[in-house]
Amino acid sequence: MVPVELPRIMGHRGAAAEAPENTLTSVRRVADCGATWVELDVMLTGDDVPVLFHDDSLKRTTGQAGLMAETTFDVVRHLDAGRWFGPAFEGEPLPSLEDTLALIRELGIGLNLEIKPSKGRARVTAERAMDIVARHWPQGGPPLLVSSFETVCLAVAQARRPDLPRGLITLWPSAQQLQLLAGLACASYHCYHKRLRAKTAAAVKAAGYALACFTVNDASEAQRLFDMGVDCVITDDPRRLLQTFGQNPL
Ligand code: MG
């Protein structure tokens, strides 16, 4: 297992409370507020270009009808990914993974890259994303963690870049998944915060994994999780949680 040292506070989809999620402006806000890591989602366009995106449908964050998996990059790159969030963000582009990695390297922050395939596209999404990582993320750069709900994505990441740590994401945390973590040589376990039990948290920590929770926007909930041994909370509002908890050094 390649270990990972997670920060206490990590920005979710950038700093999704104050800028449109999964955009370069959102990534800049993370660095600007003093957070040292960002979580972002990567999905493929219809012609297999990895871009930052969360939903299957284009509707919520671009206002367009259609599915990301059925839209070419040439169309996607001209979509407005900021207008839905507020007039100040109008014209914000929907970024490619390649452009995003360039910015993150420049900012020098850590990246938790969630591979987020649309239905039936898990393997190819991981392959194309790892191709971009291989070309644009040198060894010895800032920390990069590859995470996914999909075990096949983690297996592809393991085969392509065994030097990078991996994290398994789950909505239903359970100590029974420790075997899965071991099988994929994961470094971290990322849990839906409302379903993480103290007993499970203790078992995960005793087995030597880093433990993260999402999406935690409330300071008292973050404190409850830290008290259970959680290492990292992934939050839409890193600025606010950093004011309460501060950041551990990268
Ligand atoms: Mg995500």
Side-chain angles (χ1 to χ4, degrees):
M1 180 230 285
V2 180
V4 66
E5 185 126 358
L6 293 179
R8 264 196 296 268
I9 308 297
M10 181 186 290
H12 180 239
R13 305 182 195 172
E18 59 176 271
E21 65 185 57
N22 286 316
T23 63
L24 297 186
T25 294
S26 203
V27 172
R28 287 195 187 91
R29 291 293 180 97
V30 172
D32 173 62
C33 75
T36 51
W37 274 74
V38 63
E39 185 266 358
L40 297 165
D41 304 297
V42 63
M43 186 180 282
L44 294 186
T45 62
D47 50 349
D48 292 350
V49 178
V51 293
L52 293 199
F53 207 68
H54 181 273
D55 301 354
D56 287 334
S57 164
L58 296 172
K59 192 72 188 173
R60 179 177 62 90
T61 58
T62 73
Q64 295 292 308
L67 301 177
M68 177 58 82
E70 294 175 351
T71 309
T72 62
F73 180 63
D74 206 39
V75 171
V76 165
R77 61 198 279 265
H78 293 109
L79 293 175
D80 188 319
R83 189 191 298 137
W84 72 280
F85 195 83
F89 300 97
E90 193 164 332
E92 179 75 32
L94 199 160
S96 67
L97 177 60
E98 182 177 339
D99 288 350
T100 305
L101 293 185
L103 174 63
I104 291 178
R105 282 174 56 196
E106 187 187 311
L107 295 172
I109 58 177
L111 170 61
N112 170 9
L113 184 63
E114 179 184 347
I115 300 180
K116 190 100 194 159
S118 43
K119 220 174 175 50
R121 308 206 76 209
R123 180 170 294 279
V124 67
T125 303
E127 287 173 350
R128 294 291 84 79
M130 294 312 294
D131 285 347
I132 299 291
V133 167
R135 265 184 271 139
H136 300 282
W137 197 272
Q139 294 188 348
L144 193 161
L145 170 75
V146 180
S147 64
S148 190
F149 283 97
E150 306 274 349
T151 54
V152 64
C153 293
L154 297 174
V156 169
Q158 183 176 22
R160 294 287 179 100
R161 281 295 292 267
D163 60 306
L164 296 176
R166 289 170 297 286
L168 177 68
I169 312 174
T170 185
L171 289 171
W172 296 96
S174 153
Q176 289 172 346
Q177 286 186 320
L178 287 172
Q179 278 184 331
L180 199 52
L181 289 167
L184 291 160
C186 284
S188 57
Y189 192 43
H190 304 214
C191 303
Y192 178 49
H193 69 106
K194 289 183 183 168
R195 296 206 188 101
L196 180 64
R197 303 264 172 271
K199 206 172 150 188
T200 306
V204 170
K205 291 309 299 171
Y209 298 104
L211 183 55
C213 279
F214 61 90
T215 304
V216 183
N217 294 332
D218 179 74
S220 60
E221 173 64 357
Q223 186 63 62
R224 185 186 75 86
L225 295 164
F226 292 141
D227 290 345
M228 268 174 23
V230 169
D231 299 295
C232 170
V233 296
I234 303 175
T235 178
D236 293 325
D237 200 348
R239 192 179 303 273
R240 195 159 53 86
L241 288 197
L242 280 168
Q243 282 165 5
T244 307
F245 297 103
Q247 189 63 286
N248 47 331
L250 195 62

